[in-house]
Amino acid sequence: MKRGLKFLILIALIANLFFVSADPTISPTSLSGNINQNVSFSITTTSTNPDSNVTKVKINIPSSLKFWTDSNLTSALGTFTNTSTTLTWENNSVGGYAIGNSSIAGDNIKSFSFIANATSLGSFNISIETTLINLSTFSKGFNLSISDTTSPSITLVNPANNNEDTDGVLVFECSANDNYDLDSIALYIWDNSSSEVHKNILATSGLSNQSNFDYTFSSDGEYKWNCFANDSSRNFAWASN
């Protein structure tokens, strides 16, 4: 009987230790954003430990993610501080906490939001570190995916619509802008039967470009023209013809 009693007590102690050490859960488990755009990130932390409040929540962001000052928001009580790569919400006051240990009125579920601008493409890691009132710490990481899904914008500059030319020699001018990196600008010319008579592609780069194309027509007629731009992420756009 004594051995059985000791065994039961040991099982109870192990179960209780595991319960006390339960770490908070994080959602979502992944985030995404578009490069060179201000993106709002929101992370929800849920305390699963009914025996200990959370006094600190620290979010570590990659150096390629630029935090927008004063964009921090939270449903938790506490003081916010930050460095270039660390955002911290903390409440160490007597009896205070950032995330409670009771599910009553959602006390154990708090959201932490901020706005940041991503300056590099790729897959990065964000880690969330929580500190309990008993000084236990837990850390979880999840993926941040930064892509470029924004098409360039392109405008026809010269010649003007319905322009009449007498010598057949024209300079076409197009202007393009992109949020990340232009790759090329192309000029297309079609005759009155919609057959392509000329195409010229110029390599480019950077966020903006204004390109000129020289072309000499071999015969009189009415022609249409347009410019096409694409970027290094394979986004593309035609100008309004």
Side-chain angles (χ1 to χ4, degrees):
M1 293 295 292
K2 291 182 178 179
R3 290 182 179 178
L5 182 60
K6 289 181 179 178
F7 181 72
L8 289 174
I9 292 174
L10 180 60
I11 291 295
L13 286 174
I14 292 174
N16 188 57
L17 181 62
F18 178 79
F19 197 65
V20 170
S21 299
D23 57 328
T25 61
I26 308 296
S27 64
T29 56
S30 63
L31 290 170
S32 61
N34 207 32
I35 193 166
N36 288 337
Q37 288 187 353
N38 288 329
V39 179
S40 179
F41 298 94
S42 183
I43 298 167
T44 299
T45 304
T46 304
S47 176
T48 59
N49 191 330
D51 297 316
S52 189
N53 295 322
V54 176
T55 59
K56 182 190 297 185
V57 176
K58 184 164 65 174
I59 301 178
N60 298 304
I61 61 176
S63 58
S64 59
L65 203 60
K66 305 302 181 184
F67 170 68
W68 185 4
T69 303
D70 296 330
S71 67
N72 52 289
L73 292 172
T74 185
S75 58
L77 296 175
T79 302
F80 175 79
T81 57
N82 74 283
T83 66
S84 59
T85 57
T86 302
L87 314 178
T88 304
W89 290 266
E90 186 171 8
N91 188 349
N92 276 322
S93 61
V94 177
Y97 54 85
I99 305 175
N101 59 12
S102 171
S103 60
I104 299 175
D107 186 54
N108 67 328
I109 302 176
K110 301 298 179 182
S111 60
F112 302 88
S113 303
F114 60 95
I115 296 175
N117 187 298
T119 59
S120 297
L121 294 174
S123 182
F124 308 93
N125 182 70
I126 288 182
S127 67
I128 312 297
E129 183 180 296
T130 52
T131 302
L132 305 187
I133 200 170
N134 61 12
L135 301 184
S136 298
T137 59
F138 301 94
S139 183
K140 288 189 176 181
F142 59 90
N143 183 66
L144 169 66
S145 179
I146 300 298
S147 58
D148 177 19
T149 60
T150 303
S151 298
S153 63
I154 185 163
T155 304
L156 306 182
V157 181
N158 283 307
N161 191 37
N162 292 323
N163 181 72
E164 185 174 350
D165 180 72
T166 57
D167 63 5
V169 180
L170 280 174
V171 177
F172 295 88
E173 186 176 0
C174 306
S175 176
N177 296 279
D178 189 58
N179 68 312
Y180 180 59
D181 184 33
L182 289 167
D183 183 68
S184 66
I185 297 178
L187 167 70
Y188 288 80
I189 301 175
W190 302 270
D191 62 19
N192 201 33
S193 63
S194 298
S195 296
E196 182 182 297
V197 297
H198 180 69
K199 177 176 69 175
N200 188 5
I201 302 175
L202 297 179
T204 186
S205 61
L207 301 180
S208 64
N209 182 273
Q210 189 154 320
S211 295
N212 295 329
F213 302 85
D214 296 329
Y215 182 66
T216 301
F217 290 86
S218 59
S219 60
D220 293 341
E222 187 175 272
Y223 297 86
K224 292 182 179 180
W225 69 286
N226 204 349
C227 282
F228 174 94
N230 70 339
D231 62 23
S232 57
S233 299
R234 299 184 179 180
N235 302 302
F236 61 88
W238 288 97
S240 178
N241 184 269

